[in-house]
Amino acid sequence: MDTKTYGRMLCLDGIIQLTERDEFSYQEMLAFVSLCSHSNPKTVCVIGGGDGAILSRLVMHPGIEKIFLCELDIGVINAAKEYFPQFNRGFDDPRVTVITSDGAKFLADHENFFDVVITDSSDPIGPADSLFSVGYFKIVHKALTDNGISVSQGECMWLHLDLISKLAGKCKETFNHVEYGSISIPTYPCGQIGMLVCSKGQSPKKPLVRVDEILSKEDLDSLRYYTTELHSGCFVLPKFIASV
C-alpha cells in the first residue's frame, strides 16, 4: 500500500508491519542492540522478519559468518522482495539462508548453535501467539550458545504491561539478564514499541562493542536511529515499567 505521509506500507491482516518513513527505528534497534551486546557474533537467527528489513541491517556486520532467516509465510518474503527492494541486500548476501518453517521447531533442532536470536514477530494473535510463550523462550535459551543474546519484539508498554511483566518475570528464571528497551515509532500503537532483551552472559544495558567499530563508514552513515548512546538510553524507563 502506498501512502502520502508514510510512503510504502506493509500490512498483514490489516495491521501495519512497517512503513518506509519510520521502519528504521525498530529494525535498527533490534539488529544492533543484539549485535553490540555480544562480543563476537558468528551465527545469527531471525525468527519472522520476512520483510528483510532487519536482515538488511545484520549483513552490515562483517564478522557474522552465518545468518538464518526463518519465516513461516513465504508470501511475506516474496512481497517484500517485489515491493521493498531496498531490503534485498539481506536476501542477496551469500551468508544468508532462508528457511520457511515454524520458528520454534527450527530453533529446537539447533541447540547451542546461535550467538544471537532475533524474534521479529507480529502481535500475539494467531500463529505469532506462541512466540510470546514461556515455552518458546526456553527453546530460545537452549538454541543460544554461552553468552548468547535474544532480542524479541516486546509489545507496547502503554497497552501490554501485564504481558510484558509476566513474560519478563518468567524469562528471568532462565536467563542471566532480562531487560525491556523502548523504541519510538509513530505508526505502531501509542507511538511506542518495546524489545525484550535476554542474555545468557552479561547485561545488555551497556554495549560490549561500539557500532562504529563494526560497520564501514558508508553503513554507519546510513543509520538513522541507533547510536551507542541510545543503546544504553533505551533501557532508561518510566517508573511504572522500570521494575519489570
Side-chain angles (χ1 to χ4, degrees), residues 52-234:
I54 286 179
L55 194 62
S56 69
R57 274 72 176 198
L58 293 176
V59 297
M60 294 179 181
H61 194 309
I64 297 176
E65 297 175 354
K66 295 180 180 180
I67 305 173
F68 294 84
L69 176 75
C70 186
E71 168 63 59
L72 187 61
D73 188 351
I74 188 64
V76 174
I77 296 174
N78 292 337
K81 287 181 177 180
E82 179 176 356
Y83 294 106
F84 296 91
Q86 64 267 42
F87 303 139
N88 282 352
R89 173 184 180 178
F91 292 114
D92 295 338
D93 193 289
R95 296 171 293 172
V96 173
T97 300
V98 176
I99 309 290
T100 52
S101 174
D102 175 79
K105 184 179 184 304
F106 177 72
L107 290 176
D109 291 336
H110 291 78
E111 289 192 12
N112 193 35
F113 190 85
F114 297 108
D115 298 314
V116 172
V117 173
I118 300 174
T119 306
D120 179 18
S121 67
S122 53
D123 291 330
I125 302 170
D129 183 59
S130 63
L131 301 181
F132 291 83
S133 68
V134 175
Y136 173 72
F137 280 89
K138 288 182 177 180
I139 292 173
V140 171
H141 185 272
K142 290 181 179 179
L144 289 169
T145 56
D146 292 341
N147 301 314
I149 296 286
S150 163
V151 178
S152 304
Q153 192 268 95
E155 289 298 308
C156 175
M157 63 184 177
W158 297 104
L159 300 175
H160 308 107
L161 184 58
D162 286 347
L163 171 65
I164 296 166
S165 181
K166 290 177 182 177
L167 189 56
K170 288 294 184 181
C171 287
K172 287 177 182 177
E173 297 176 4
T174 306
F175 289 88
N176 288 352
H177 297 275
V178 178
E179 304 291 345
Y180 179 88
S182 182
I183 305 166
S184 174
I185 179 164
T187 48
Y188 285 0
C190 299
Q192 187 270 342
I193 196 70
M195 55 182 173
L196 193 65
V197 187
C198 304
S199 172
K200 292 178 74 172
Q202 298 183 45
S203 169
K205 283 188 172 183
K206 184 178 180 180
L208 295 181
V209 182
R210 290 180 58 92
V211 70
D212 55 11
E213 297 173 342
I214 301 171
L215 304 189
S216 68
K217 185 180 185 305
E218 181 181 4
D219 284 336
L220 186 64
D221 289 344
S222 75
L223 300 188
R224 300 174 64 192
Y225 194 91
Y226 178 89
T227 65
T228 296
E229 294 74 22
L230 190 59
H231 181 122
S232 297
C234 77

